[in-house]
Amino acid sequence: MKKRLLFIKISAITSLLLFLSCNFSPVSIAAVGPLPNTHQLEWQKLEYYAFIHFNMNTFTNKEWGYGDEKPEQFNPSALDTRQWARVAKESGMKGIIITAKHHDGFALWPSAYTEHSVRNSPWREGKGDLIRELSEACKEFGLKFGVYLSPWDRNHPDYGTPQYITYFRNQLTELLTQYGEVFEVWFDGANGGDGYYGGANEERRVDKRNYYDWPTTIKLVRELQPQAVIFSDAGPDIRWVGNEKGYANETTWSPIYRDSVYAGMPDFQRFAAGQEKGTHWIPTETDVSIRPGWYYHPEQDDQVKSLEKLVDIYYNSVGLNSSLLLNLPVDTRGLVHENDQASLRALAEFLDKTFKENFFLGQHIKASTSEKGYSESSIVDQDLTTYWASQSTDRTPTVEFHLETAVEANTFMIQEYIPLGQRIKSFAVEILSSGKWKMVYQGSTIGNKRLVRFETQTVEAVRFKVNESKAQVVLSNAGLYRAPEIND
Ligand code: FUL
């Protein structure tokens, strides 16, 4: 009798388990292409990193050197790349991209292919290698390291001929083989024009599309640093946001349609917003300087961007499906200036205070529909690898976040699960405050991340409504925060 009972119990448990597994095993969600590759996904997680413009122009007080400068002019008095890395790290940045060679052609490393480098400068008695020092400092501080190598070279006598392309690739090879892992390679679109060119002092225009034979150079980067993402106007991996002001488009699709890729494409504006039906996944990067100039100019010491401006830039880049590449013009000492440090610190404190507490954690969340096996709780587990999906037929779901105790808040964050593609075309955010729902924001695309600011108010619940989507909606994360007031 006992045996029989045990058998009944076991078979009941087995059928229950079978029932549960049949009902809750997640169905797989169909991807909506184009999709990011693993290197783009890794890059997308960085969100905020530094550009450093430091080179010959720092000492000639220029933005674009003509190419006739003398290596002796490069002479920082107290250069300390560890200070750069420490400042970047303490500012919450995840990496540094350095202008290894700008348009004037001066190389910050002792390149074997030119005399126009730090080797012939008084700095460290010609024995210095700034790229080595910086790459080591980045390693020490746990930062990614990236290089900017200007395709245009106003110093080189061969610029405009096929020989220069060999020189350019030789230099690129040095940078990509001698300094460890590189996370991003940055190719500037400005190229061709007048210059010194070994004493020719003339104008040299190039056919930007064909002269550089970009496919071969891209292949070289892939061979030497397969994990590195390559930036230029339309990619191949990361695209330009289309301005140098720090503002991404309100509508930003990571997919774009493109039929060619080269630095200096004349029609880059068509890439700014991306295209809903784009064929290639090429997310934007927002590059902007913390001062008016990319390079250091003492007369701009009091024009460092304020906290308010930097916060605005952050919300309009990281918060608009882009990344923020914030430039620090290192000064003639070879240090990040005190004023720049102060603004960076203020931004870091602001971001820490804002995002330290997500009011959604542990709260009740309810979606209008859920695909079988996908729980709303994945939206607030702070884990980018888990996600929730609406039912396959539901392209306009709503998700409500109810707070047990009302809070004062002013910032909403939402992320799509981009490994399955970018889907949302338009959305609205509503707030329940004093028992009344009101709409606080209407927007278009989301992608990797959307940050929405609204007036500080008591929030009892938030309703996130998708008004239009390319397919069922897949969300990875959401947050509700209280940003501090800005008093500067
Ligand atoms: C531009 C360059 O011409 C500027 O000097 C700067 O390097 C900026 C990031 O890109 O195209």
Side-chain angles (χ1 to χ4, degrees):
M1 192 61 182
K2 266 192 181 162
K3 257 192 187 165
R4 215 178 119 79
L5 253 175
L6 190 70
F7 174 75
I8 293 172
K9 261 192 192 164
I10 290 175
S11 44
I13 291 170
T14 322
S15 351
L16 182 70
L17 287 177
L18 209 70
F19 169 81
L20 287 176
S21 68
C22 286
N23 278 277
F24 293 104
S25 66
V27 297
S28 59
I29 308 293
V32 174
L35 301 177
N37 63 33
T38 45
H39 307 315
Q40 290 170 318
L41 285 172
E42 282 311 304
W43 166 86
Q44 193 92 59
K45 285 185 207 148
L46 304 177
E47 294 191 344
Y48 175 37
Y49 42 96
F51 216 172
I52 289 189
H53 274 64
F54 177 75
N55 205 307
M56 187 57 88
N57 294 332
T58 313
F59 301 91
T60 54
N61 201 11
K62 283 187 181 161
E63 280 291 309
W64 280 14
Y66 188 68
D68 60 347
E69 301 76 18
K70 301 274 163 283
E72 299 85 67
Q73 291 170 272
F74 183 86
N75 195 15
S77 53
L79 186 130
D80 181 5
T81 53
R82 293 184 70 253
Q83 186 250 13
W84 309 0
R86 184 176 50 71
V87 169
K89 186 75 184 183
E90 288 172 3
S91 307
M93 295 165 148
K94 299 289 169 17
I96 297 179
I97 299 178
I98 175 73
T99 48
K101 176 183 93 168
H102 204 248
H103 310 326
D104 58 74
F106 187 75
L108 292 182
W109 75 104
S111 169
Y113 301 97
T114 182
E115 290 304 309
H116 202 54
S117 83
V118 284
R119 192 156 19 113
N120 291 315
S121 80
W123 176 64
R124 307 240 192 283
E125 290 163 352
K127 298 199 173 57
D129 181 342
L130 203 151
I131 300 301
R132 179 155 322 279
E133 291 187 18
L134 180 60
S135 58
E136 284 172 0
C138 284
K139 220 168 279 156
E140 181 186 338
F141 284 84
L143 294 168
K144 304 259 181 202
F145 170 71
V147 289
Y148 165 115
L149 183 71
S150 170
W152 186 17
D153 190 321
R154 303 172 94 188
N155 172 265
H156 205 276
D158 292 341
Y159 184 77
T161 71
Q163 286 88 308
Y164 171 74
I165 303 304
T166 306
Y167 172 75
F168 178 67
R169 291 194 187 130
N170 283 338
Q171 288 204 318
L172 187 60
T173 303
E174 289 182 320
L175 290 171
L176 300 184
T177 54
Q178 296 175 8
Y179 304 101
E181 192 171 300
V182 167
F183 85 102
E184 182 167 332
V185 180
W186 218 91
F187 292 129
D188 201 318
N191 52 68
D194 63 344
Y196 175 67
Y197 305 124
N201 292 308
E202 61 188 14
E203 168 128 1
R204 293 188 183 171
R205 297 265 157 220
V206 296
D207 167 4
K208 293 183 188 188
R209 181 196 282 263
N210 298 310
Y211 172 56
Y212 291 97
D213 177 20
W214 283 109
T216 306
T217 300
I218 289 166
K219 210 165 131 243
L220 181 66
V221 177
R222 301 281 190 236
E223 274 161 25
L224 301 177
Q225 296 272 349
Q227 75 298 324
V229 289
I230 304 174
F231 167 96
S232 81
D233 295 322
D237 304 315
I238 310 296
R239 75 182 198 260
W240 189 36
V241 75
N243 68 78
E244 294 179 340
K245 295 189 166 69
Y247 289 78
N249 243 60
E250 209 275 333
T251 296
T252 299
W253 288 101
S254 289
I256 57 168
Y257 168 73
R258 66 163 194 219
D259 50 10
S260 55
V261 185
Y262 56 97
M265 295 173 88
D267 50 353
F268 57 81
Q269 281 307 343
R270 80 184 157 101
F271 300 125
Q275 286 116 14
E276 184 194 326
K277 296 205 171 99
T279 48
H280 294 70
W281 182 277
I282 320 286
T284 67
E285 180 184 77
T286 304
D287 61 324
V288 59
S289 187
I290 197 164
R291 293 171 175 234
W294 290 102
Y295 279 95
Y296 178 75
H297 308 290
E299 63 274 20
Q300 294 180 355
D301 278 350
D302 59 357
Q303 292 178 53
V304 178
K305 290 190 170 59
S306 65
L307 172 61
E308 194 177 3
K309 182 71 181 164
L310 290 177
V311 167
D312 206 42
I313 286 174
Y314 187 89
Y315 277 92
N316 283 287
S317 52
V318 175
L320 279 178
N321 191 26
S322 191
S323 66
L324 174 55
L325 176 59
L326 182 62
N327 179 63
L328 313 178
V330 161
D331 66 20
T332 45
R333 295 171 300 177
L335 298 173
V336 179
H337 192 273
E338 290 72 4
N339 296 0
D340 306 48
Q341 282 189 57
S343 273
L344 288 167
R345 212 176 300 124
L347 177 64
E349 279 170 18
F350 175 91
L351 296 175
D352 282 350
K353 280 189 189 146
T354 302
F355 295 110
K356 74 171 187 296
E357 188 179 4
N358 181 352
F359 299 124
F360 284 160
L361 299 191
Q363 302 298 311
H364 182 68
I365 305 154
K366 185 76 199 116
S368 52
T369 69
S370 291
E371 188 60 276
K372 208 189 324 162
Y374 291 87
S375 157
E376 295 97 325
S377 60
S378 297
I379 309 176
V380 290
D381 61 2
Q382 316 226 74
D383 182 348
L384 282 173
T385 63
T386 61
Y387 51 94
W388 160 88
S390 64
Q391 264 174 14
S392 59
T393 48
D394 187 3
R395 294 179 175 203
T396 55
T398 57
V399 184
E400 279 185 20
F401 306 82
H402 286 269
L403 302 165
E404 220 163 276
T405 320
V407 294
E408 291 283 295
N410 53 19
T411 307
F412 173 74
M413 182 276 287
I414 189 91
Q415 298 187 274
E416 286 189 74
Y417 182 69
I418 54 171
L420 289 175
Q422 189 179 348
R423 298 154 186 254
I424 296 170
K425 290 161 66 168
S426 88
F427 69 95
V429 180
E430 295 173 357
I431 302 283
L432 183 68
S433 194
S434 311
K436 274 200 200 108
W437 283 105
K438 61 172 180 230
M439 196 201 308
V440 292
Y441 195 82
Q442 260 189 303
S444 53
T445 52
I446 292 177
N448 181 58
K449 186 176 272 187
R450 176 67 96 130
L451 292 168
V452 167
R453 288 184 284 182
F454 53 90
E455 218 174 287
T456 307
Q457 57 196 280
T458 310
V459 177
E460 285 140 31
V462 177
R463 187 186 284 149
F464 172 70
K465 277 176 89 167
V466 176
N467 293 325
E468 228 189 326
S469 173
K470 285 168 82 171
Q472 77 192 116
V473 169
V474 188
L475 297 176
S476 113
N477 257 312
L480 179 70
Y481 309 95
R482 164 91 161 91
E485 304 305 328
I486 300 174
N487 320 301
D488 66 344

